Amino acid sequence: MLHLTRPALLLALMPTVAPCMAQWDLTFQGQVPVTANGANLDLAWAGGLNFVQVSDVDLNGDGLKDLFLFDRSGNTVTTLMNTGGQGTNAYRLERPDNASATYSGLHDWALFRDYDCDGKADLFTQGQAGFGVYRNTSVGDTPSFELITSRVNSRYVSPSGTGTLANLYVSQVDLPAIDDIDGDGDLDVLTFSLLGSYMEYHKNLSMELYGTCDSLVFELRNKCWGYFAENFNNNSVTLDTPCDFNVPNPELGEQGDRPEATEDTERAHAGSTILSLDLNGDGVKEVLIGDISYNNLVGLYNGGSIEEAYMTQEDTLFPSYDNSVDLALFPAGYYVDVDQDGKRDLLVGGNATSLSENKRSLWYYTNTGTDSSPVFEHQQEDLFQERMIDVGEGAFPVFFDHDRDGLMDLIVANHGYFAAGGVYTGKLALFRNTGTMDEPSFELITDDYMGLSTSGIGISMYPAFGDVDGDGDLDMYIGDLQGRIHAYRNTGGPGTAQFELLQPNVTNSGGEPLDVGQFATPVFEDLDGDGLLDLLIGERNGNLNHYRNTGSASLPVWSLVNENVGGVSTVEWWNVTGYSVPSVFRNASGERELLLGSESGWLYHYGAIDNNLNGTWTLLDSTFLNVRDGIRTGVALHDLTGDGELELIIGNYRGGLSFWGSEPILAGIGEMNTASGLRLAPNPAAGTVEVTLVQEMTGNWQLDIVNGQGQVVMSRSGSGQRLVVDVEGLANGVYTLRVSSVEGERKARLMVMGQR
């Protein structure tokens, strides 16, 4: 069954780690509102799209075709469920908690096709030097798949007529056509040859041998189907190509009056995509071809018949009668009914893994003709992306209260937005929290926070916020791709934040630019408890660097303590890099713990940090909560609802985010109102707040104020029924106020709104 969270070999070689904390029980929260340019992003937390492959398949058994999106960036899956809106592209995001586990064995490409004619599309995906097939065994609304074969074979026929059974070869960078090419009811395969630019036709013999379409028995029937060849210097083709190395009496037409063969012109094959469809309503298959090095689709029109495939026309800028495909690199076409009008439309996505368009990644052409004779009309270039948070390539979330209204806003860094010529522009996006202390919601304010795209820092900017000049507001340090740190002072005064460059390259205690190698991801944290913020910096190598502030609260001096503090590493056994992205929080006991994003996409969870700066921190989990949202993840943790529970936002290399809610991280959190046994007035508070125990506690009790990261920021002792607490020194925000004694604990939510 295709349900493993990781390949079996990987599981066998991973070290055994302690179980995750029991109080963590995250569920996907896709309904948290997000708006951009006045529009609601109903797919906001879907995780973005970069290099997506599309299939239509009924995933929940309701009789409607849903969309299965497989992204080559991290081999991730997004499922969009059909809501039944005829004439529209009405889909809702469905992210079951085990979505990643259900499809985790897929890689390179994944397409749904019904090979056994049971009405349920089966799953074809790249395997070892070819492809494997999972039969759809779903019952009701729960998808399930059974491995039929991990390697589909075909009988390869030589020019002499002898045959050898071997794996049906599909390059890991190619995308084959899996379709009924000869019209007999079973699925055949078109793929490019191992060594050259010719298209092979592998006929499925299921109908011929068994009279049914439920088998996968293939034989190579034509080594140059359609009699064309891809050209070496561009992505056009040469028609009327001789094929002296073909099989005897090729199934789809003999050479006949075709040009005489002169030599075998097969060349090294780089990569191509194939979509088979009938473009002119004559019942024979044409093909749309994409090339790994080019931006356009080539349409080849079949002037032959089902019995004799012969390409006679070429459209090098398909569709030349409309807005031609221009997708930067390696386009691939998909023929699915997106708008649910009974006619299949054309979608085109990039089949690369990098160096290609990452913001307009899925082109949509509606079909204004018929299903058997389509006419494609260009609609948009960011299908579904315009309904998601998508910041291009890479998404690394960081919480920061930009407008100082007490609600935590969201800063999202990226690797960069793709531009012509393979250039990337790095930016930070600001999503302002426009919700309440109970219910967060976010609005995109700008995709270029503080105009940092023109700062010269470059791509892969990563921000950290902390008061390093001692003036009571949060300043910004930015890590970059080169491993350097750039300091910006907050000059915004009592209102919203405003930053000016303070130090282009932050220096260490020796006066040299601070440098961690590549991909610096800083976070501020007072690790040694001396009241001064230290720097933890992740990097490409997957470790953490610890720089201690040996200066003062207003004039820091950064002294390197350890280049691999705690022995932390996010490097998997099969790789040499880890791309560690740290986030620090407090557990139920108030102890400091660490959560890290990684290159593999898994979240690493470390404990035993406090009073252990010279020792080894404990790896609690290297597959935290079995949540993997793609490669090169980043994490942000905060109590966004003020209920004592930490919410988790995960970014990934597709440029999107997912939102997860957790069980209480602070033990015993109950209802945050007067029913909890506490009354706070005023609330929100500015200078002081009066805390009243609805029922007086016996003897002395302790009051703690806990921030959104689980840190105790203020403690007071009291007795009796009332205590007045000065909160003027606290930053604006939502806090948990906790009163405890031998009789137990009482908790309420406090909002501080004094700092302007």
Side-chain angles (χ1 to χ4, degrees), residues 44-61:
W45 307 102
L49 298 174
N50 269 2
F51 313 113
V52 63
Q53 302 167 355
V54 185
S55 297
D56 55 349
V57 52
D58 183 4
L59 292 171
N60 58 3

Side-chain angles (χ1 to χ4, degrees), residues 97-388:
D97 291 343
N98 67 342
S100 298
T102 304
Y103 304 108
S104 66
L106 307 178
H107 60 93
D108 296 307
W109 59 268
L111 297 171
F112 274 94
R113 303 288 188 266
D114 184 7
Y115 86 87
D116 57 3
C117 302
D118 65 351
K120 296 187 292 188
D122 309 295
L123 184 54
F124 292 69
T125 188
Q126 179 70 24
Q128 186 176 4
F131 62 95
V133 181
Y134 292 85
R135 183 171 177 265
N136 190 335
T137 57
S138 304
V139 177
D141 60 359
T142 303
S144 63
F145 305 92
E146 180 182 5
L147 179 63
I148 298 300
T149 178
S150 59
R151 191 180 75 174
V152 174
N153 291 321
S154 182
R155 182 175 177 267
Y156 282 79
V157 182
S158 71
S160 65
T162 59
T164 301
L165 192 66
N167 54 291
L168 202 168
Y169 178 77
V170 177
S171 165
Q172 67 180 34
V173 298
D174 282 5
L175 197 64
I178 304 171
D179 196 4
D180 184 7
I181 302 299
D182 57 3
D184 66 352
D186 54 24
L187 291 180
D188 311 300
V189 174
L190 295 177
T191 183
F192 280 94
S193 59
L194 172 63
L195 298 176
S197 53
Y198 296 97
M199 189 174 293
E200 295 181 345
Y201 167 60
H202 293 261
K203 178 181 174 62
N204 191 344
L205 302 177
S206 182
M207 292 297 296
E208 285 78 5
L209 294 176
Y210 311 115
T212 64
C213 58
D214 61 355
S215 300
L216 298 166
V217 183
F218 293 95
E219 185 173 83
L220 176 61
R221 291 295 183 91
N222 199 326
K223 291 186 177 181
C224 51
W225 184 85
Y227 294 97
F228 69 91
E230 283 194 316
N231 292 326
F232 184 74
N233 295 320
N234 56 58
N235 70 330
S236 65
V237 304
T238 299
L239 302 176
D240 288 325
T241 299
C243 190
D244 62 336
F245 53 90
N246 211 339
V247 302
N249 303 313
E251 168 112 352
L252 299 188
E254 298 191 32
Q255 182 118 350
D257 59 356
R258 309 285 181 252
E260 292 293 328
T262 56
E263 61 179 328
D264 185 345
T265 58
E266 285 201 294
R267 294 178 290 269
H269 180 67
S272 297
T273 63
I274 309 169
L275 172 64
S276 59
L277 72 170
D278 185 1
L279 287 172
N280 52 18
D282 63 357
V284 299
K285 298 292 184 179
E286 280 81 34
V287 289
L288 302 181
I289 301 174
D291 188 279
I292 194 171
S293 301
Y294 297 92
N295 63 326
N296 57 302
L297 280 181
V298 175
L300 298 180
Y301 288 82
N302 193 343
S305 64
I306 293 178
E307 292 77 23
E308 184 178 0
Y310 179 47
M311 301 303 169
T312 57
Q313 298 182 52
E314 177 185 14
D315 184 350
T316 57
L317 295 172
F318 187 88
S320 58
Y321 55 81
D322 196 81
N323 190 8
S324 301
V325 171
D326 181 8
L327 200 59
L329 189 70
F330 206 9
Y334 309 93
Y335 199 36
V336 296
D337 185 7
V338 176
D339 56 12
Q340 305 174 55
D341 63 354
K343 300 178 296 184
R344 284 173 289 180
D345 310 295
L346 177 65
L347 300 185
V348 185
N351 202 52
T353 56
S354 64
L355 301 176
S356 187
E357 180 60 59
N358 52 39
K359 186 61 177 175
R360 55 182 198 111
S361 305
L362 190 58
W363 286 43
Y364 169 39
Y365 295 80
T366 188
N367 185 355
T368 61
T370 66
D371 193 64
S372 60
S373 185
V375 177
F376 298 122
E377 182 179 297
H378 179 261
Q379 299 297 305
Q380 65 185 102
E381 300 169 6
D382 58 351
L383 181 65
F384 303 125
Q385 283 177 294
E386 91 281 13
R387 298 159 60 182
M388 303 177 182

Side-chain angles (χ1 to χ4, degrees), residues 21 23 585-593 610 664-668 704 706 710-712 738 745:
M21 294 186 301
Q23 63 265 39
F585 64 95
R586 301 278 179 161
N587 66 16
S589 301
E591 299 165 336
R592 190 182 283 110
E593 294 188 358
D610 292 330
I665 189 77
L666 298 172
D704 296 316
V706 183
Q711 300 167 313
V712 177
R738 175 177 63 202
E745 293 183 338

